[in-house]
Amino acid sequence: MRKAEEDYSVHSGHTDHIISSYATYEEYLDAQISAKDLYYLEDENLARQLVELGYRGSGETLRREEFETRKKAAEIVRVQKAKAMHKTLASQGKDLSESPFLQELADREEMVRNGKLTSIIFIRDKNRKGQEISGYIDYAHRLKTEHFEVYFERKKKLLPRPTDLSFYNWETQTPTSNPTPNFQVIADNEAGLLFKNKRDRKIINVDPKADPGDNSRRVEIKSPEYMQIVIYDHVTRRKA
């Protein structure tokens, strides 16, 4: 009984490898056709038929029906795994009624996580030392690199850091800027500070007196916890 189970496991594993290696049944058949076969047969379709019938190739050949059935099953499993891996939103189930800012972040979280939206958060406030600081935060990048539950639970306050897109300490007059996976910083420009989206290469202008740019909008948020908050939303529309 154990021997039969082992044989089935080996066969199943080999079949799974075949299913994952070839996009179509024709690709699977072609992989078993040698140059010598084509030389003598002079017909690719005939060579495929011989492989399908078991006259060419190595080992037992999968029938088309079995290949297609297993291919569909593998796709279902892949989708299910992807859904299982998708994390529950950090903002889910949190009471954000007292924080307009956190509610705005929660409203954007799913779209930012799935890449449909990128958001740059400008925050001006004071740090623990009482120093005024300001900066631009790539929301998507922070979501990927931090556990945001602590922010939505209000156990920790979201503030800009020297490692964000842009940071400035008004007391020490220390500026820093850093590119992220989503944005490039353009600091030395007559128009002032600009951010370039790396996906569609569109420019986001954060000058409050200027148009933020194509597919972008500027949203100012009044929230009691902060001195100033502005969110720049950008919908990416990369050409196919």
Side-chain angles (χ1 to χ4, degrees), residues 54 60 120 185 226:
E60 185 179 349
I120 296 173
V185 182
Y226 294 90

Side-chain angles (χ1 to χ4, degrees), residues 191-195 203-208 210-213 216 218 232:
L193 183 63
L194 303 173
F195 298 104
I203 298 294
I204 293 88
N205 190 334
V206 294
D207 183 343
D211 187 306
S216 297
R218 181 181 188 274
Y232 296 85

Side-chain angles (χ1 to χ4, degrees), residues 112-124:
V112 170
R113 283 190 185 276
N114 63 32
K116 293 180 180 179
L117 178 74
T118 54
S119 296
I120 296 173
I121 307 165
F122 172 77
I123 293 177
R124 182 166 66 92

Side-chain angles (χ1 to χ4, degrees), residues 184-196:
Q184 176 185 343
V185 182
I186 305 174
D188 300 324
N189 189 282
E190 291 181 0
L193 183 63
L194 303 173
F195 298 104
K196 186 176 185 179

Side-chain angles (χ1 to χ4, degrees), residues 80-117:
Q80 289 176 340
K81 283 184 177 180
K83 287 181 178 179
M85 288 177 66
H86 181 70
K87 295 180 180 179
T88 302
L89 296 178
S91 58
Q92 188 171 321
K94 308 297 189 299
D95 180 9
L96 308 175
S97 58
E98 295 183 8
S99 176
F101 172 51
L102 292 179
Q103 185 60 61
E104 291 283 347
L105 293 187
D107 292 343
R108 291 165 171 78
E109 184 184 0
E110 185 171 7
M111 288 187 67
V112 170
R113 283 190 185 276
N114 63 32
K116 293 180 180 179
L117 178 74

Side-chain angles (χ1 to χ4, degrees), residues 27-221:
E27 284 186 16
Y28 164 60
L29 296 178
D30 290 346
Q32 301 184 70
I33 300 172
S34 67
K36 188 176 181 181
D37 291 334
L38 287 175
Y39 176 79
Y40 285 111
L41 295 171
E42 298 181 345
D43 188 327
E44 187 178 50
N45 288 329
L46 177 59
R48 285 175 176 173
Q49 290 174 19
L50 290 175
V51 172
E52 190 169 357
L53 292 171
Y55 293 112
R56 287 290 186 276
S58 57
E60 185 179 349
T61 304
L62 286 177
R63 305 293 295 176
R64 183 181 293 273
E65 294 78 10
E66 184 180 2
F67 182 93
E68 298 293 349
T69 299
R70 285 181 175 266
K71 194 73 177 174
K72 288 178 182 178
E75 178 61 16
I76 291 171
V77 170
R78 186 193 68 77
V79 171
Q80 289 176 340
K81 283 184 177 180
K83 287 181 178 179
M85 288 177 66
H86 181 70
K87 295 180 180 179
T88 302
L89 296 178
S91 58
Q92 188 171 321
K94 308 297 189 299
D95 180 9
L96 308 175
S97 58
E98 295 183 8
S99 176
F101 172 51
L102 292 179
Q103 185 60 61
E104 291 283 347
L105 293 187
D107 292 343
R108 291 165 171 78
E109 184 184 0
E110 185 171 7
M111 288 187 67
V112 170
R113 283 190 185 276
N114 63 32
K116 293 180 180 179
L117 178 74
T118 54
S119 296
I120 296 173
I121 307 165
F122 172 77
I123 293 177
R124 182 166 66 92
D125 204 47
K126 292 186 177 181
N127 61 18
R128 290 181 179 179
K129 295 180 180 180
Q131 300 169 331
E132 185 175 330
I133 59 173
S134 61
Y136 293 87
I137 298 168
D138 179 350
Y139 186 27
H141 185 52
R142 282 281 203 110
L143 279 173
K144 286 184 178 180
T145 56
E146 287 188 76
H147 295 294
F148 249 69
E149 287 84 355
V150 292
Y151 296 119
F152 287 116
E153 291 170 354
R154 305 183 75 177
K155 294 178 179 178
K156 191 175 181 181
K157 190 174 184 179
L158 181 64
L159 289 171
R161 298 171 178 169
T163 52
D164 281 314
L165 277 171
S166 179
F167 175 85
Y168 188 71
N169 185 310
W170 291 85
E171 184 171 314
T172 63
Q173 298 186 354
T174 306
T176 62
S177 62
N178 307 278
T180 69
N182 304 301
F183 294 100
Q184 176 185 343
V185 182
I186 305 174
D188 300 324
N189 189 282
E190 291 181 0
L193 183 63
L194 303 173
F195 298 104
K196 186 176 185 179
N197 186 282
K198 290 183 177 180
R199 186 179 183 191
D200 63 9
R201 306 182 69 80
K202 296 290 186 180
I203 298 294
I204 293 88
N205 190 334
V206 294
D207 183 343
K209 296 179 181 179
D211 187 306
D214 293 343
N215 307 326
S216 297
R217 65 169 185 161
R218 181 181 188 274
V219 182
E220 191 157 355
I221 299 161

